[in-house]
Amino acid sequence: MADNKIKKVVLAYSGGLDTSIIIPWLKENYDNCEVIAVSGNVGQADELEGLEEKAIATGASKLYIEDLNKEFVEEYVFPTIKAGAVYEGKYLLGTSFARPIIAKRLVEIAKAEGADAICHGCTGKGNDQVRFELAIKAYAPDMKIIAPWRVWEFKSREEEIAYAEEKKIPLKINRETNYSKDKNLWHLSHEGLDLEDPANEPMYEKEGFLEMGVSPLQAPDVPEYVTIHFEKGEAKSINGEEMDAVSIVAKLNEIGGKNGIGITDIVENRLVGMKARGVYETPGGTILFAAHNKLEEICLDKDTQHYKSVLAIKFAELVYDGKWYTPLREALSAFVDSTQEYVTGDVKLKLYKGNIIDAGVTSPYSLYDEEIATFDEDEVYDQNDSAGFINLFGLPIKVRAKKGLIK
């Protein structure tokens, strides 16, 4: 397996099970090559604690911890919210749009360090391998990519844990709590163990399972109101307090988490062709999507609103499939941005035990006209006009009926 041409490898490093054992594995299988670990900070919080010491202790020459939070939210999360992109109607793409930004930074560091290869710890069954590698190809098309899961001797996470124990690599997990997790500012995913059987109910009320919030059953008995102000489709303040993009997501995570908001159980269609079951926690993101959608109801005209919802499906597929750095995704974002010119206003929501309840929406650009829509007497809408409209609108049906073509 050894490639003597590979002297220096940049590793996407999280400090989790896979990447923890990859460092010694790389050195064993690539002639004691230098391993430079890179951790893209997209909001993992406590997962970054002690990471440098661990990386060095297991054989890395250095560790980069890159703060990508601001760019992550402003250039990846917010464009996806504005697009209304939700994969298969449920998944808010938390892992999907975090991978391209991390991979882009991996390439930048690999070039600066003169690395011969970039390595990632994604499995050969997952979507992340595609997301990482498409981004790497976009910015370093000739860079060699090492994906240990495709070639190494380990066939399960059990065997990985055994190898880690043999090498005395400290882990924060054990065989009983060995869920496959991915955490960032936007979400936390849970896969594996009992969740692999869709018949099993997730252990929402079990201590330690949920990390970003509580089960709806454990949420307060009193609803909480939150008002979000948007400008051109982007959230700018919460309850009247202006905040930067990162702070807005963090604050809504706090508010949503304590009210049991944003827990999703989905069997999704992976890019590689299989179905996979996962549980996602996205408290703040769920609130932002709901608020943004509500504001668009009064700010977008019918044709734009309907067509945008169709394109949102394609946008979500592109993000899920790792095609962030593609002409189509960029073109769709340009279209979306043009639709957001007048998506400005305030949305009030009531949060109660996992539910998001609309509680009012206002906008200086609202297309809703109460005088036109009223059931009471008005002076702006002549109901007699509807007869001629229906005659013309229904003319094709009338012609077909006279020809005896309707069965």
Side-chain angles (χ1 to χ4, degrees), residues 227-231 234-240 242 248 295 344-347 362 364:
T227 299
I228 303 172
H229 175 69
F230 290 85
E231 294 180 10
E234 296 186 0
K236 297 296 183 181
S237 70
I238 300 173
N239 295 332
E242 291 188 12
I248 281 177
L295 185 58
T344 293
D346 295 277
V347 180
T362 60

Side-chain angles (χ1 to χ4, degrees), residues 95 179-183 187-191 279-281:
T95 300
Y179 288 104
S180 176
K181 296 187 179 185
D182 177 72
K183 185 178 184 181
H187 90 154
L188 173 65
S189 63
H190 309 255
E191 295 178 325
V279 169
Y280 298 104
E281 298 179 60

Side-chain angles (χ1 to χ4, degrees), residues 9-27:
V9 179
V10 165
L11 168 66
Y13 184 74
S14 68
L17 174 59
D18 294 328
T19 57
S20 292
I21 68 172
I22 282 176
I23 294 176
W25 183 88
L26 282 171
K27 298 182 78 68

Side-chain angles (χ1 to χ4, degrees), residues 102-283:
I102 294 172
K104 181 181 178 183
R105 189 64 183 128
L106 284 172
V107 170
E108 292 168 352
I109 292 175
K111 288 181 177 180
E113 288 281 355
D116 306 301
I118 293 175
C119 178
H120 64 74
C122 308
T123 74
K125 287 185 176 181
N127 304 302
D128 280 345
Q129 58 182 334
V130 181
R131 296 164 184 157
F132 269 114
E133 294 186 29
L134 291 189
I136 292 169
K137 291 179 187 300
Y139 289 97
D142 297 322
M143 179 70 68
K144 181 173 179 58
I145 299 172
I146 300 174
W149 258 106
R150 299 177 195 159
V151 295
W152 66 12
E153 62 273 26
F154 311 120
K155 303 302 180 186
S156 68
R157 291 174 70 82
E158 284 281 330
E159 293 182 8
E160 287 184 279
I161 292 175
Y163 180 80
E165 292 172 344
E166 175 190 335
K167 298 294 181 180
K168 295 182 171 52
I169 299 172
L171 300 173
K172 294 182 180 180
I173 61 171
N174 56 50
R175 286 177 169 80
E176 288 70 41
T177 61
N178 184 23
Y179 288 104
S180 176
K181 296 187 179 185
D182 177 72
K183 185 178 184 181
N184 58 42
L185 180 65
W186 185 249
H187 90 154
L188 173 65
S189 63
H190 309 255
E191 295 178 325
L193 297 181
D194 55 302
L195 297 179
E196 290 189 347
D197 184 350
N200 292 332
E201 179 181 1
M203 299 180 290
Y204 297 136
E205 285 77 45
K206 184 177 180 180
E207 184 177 355
F209 181 75
L210 296 176
E211 297 182 26
M212 296 184 73
V214 299
S215 162
L217 295 178
Q218 298 167 326
D221 294 329
V222 178
E224 179 172 358
Y225 287 88
V226 60
T227 299
I228 303 172
H229 175 69
F230 290 85
E231 294 180 10
K232 295 186 177 183
E234 296 186 0
K236 297 296 183 181
S237 70
I238 300 173
N239 295 332
E241 181 181 353
E242 291 188 12
M243 300 181 185
D244 61 70
V246 173
S247 298
I248 281 177
V249 176
K251 182 63 176 179
L252 290 176
N253 278 338
E254 176 189 337
I255 295 172
K258 69 181 180 181
N259 286 286
I261 302 296
I263 303 169
T264 298
D265 181 357
I266 179 175
V267 176
E268 70 196 54
N269 289 293
R270 281 186 177 172
L271 174 58
V272 294
M274 70 181 71
K275 288 184 180 288
R277 196 268 189 100
V279 169
Y280 298 104
E281 298 179 60
T282 322

Side-chain angles (χ1 to χ4, degrees), residues 67-82:
D67 187 353
L68 305 174
N69 282 285
K70 183 176 185 293
E71 182 182 355
F72 174 50
V73 177
E74 292 181 352
E75 298 185 22
Y76 296 78
V77 174
F78 276 9
T80 304
I81 296 173
K82 290 189 290 186

Side-chain angles (χ1 to χ4, degrees), residues 25-45:
W25 183 88
L26 282 171
K27 298 182 78 68
E28 287 178 358
N29 289 274
Y30 289 88
D31 196 25
N32 199 34
C33 64
E34 180 182 359
V35 179
I36 298 171
V38 177
S39 179
N41 177 8
V42 285
Q44 301 94 310

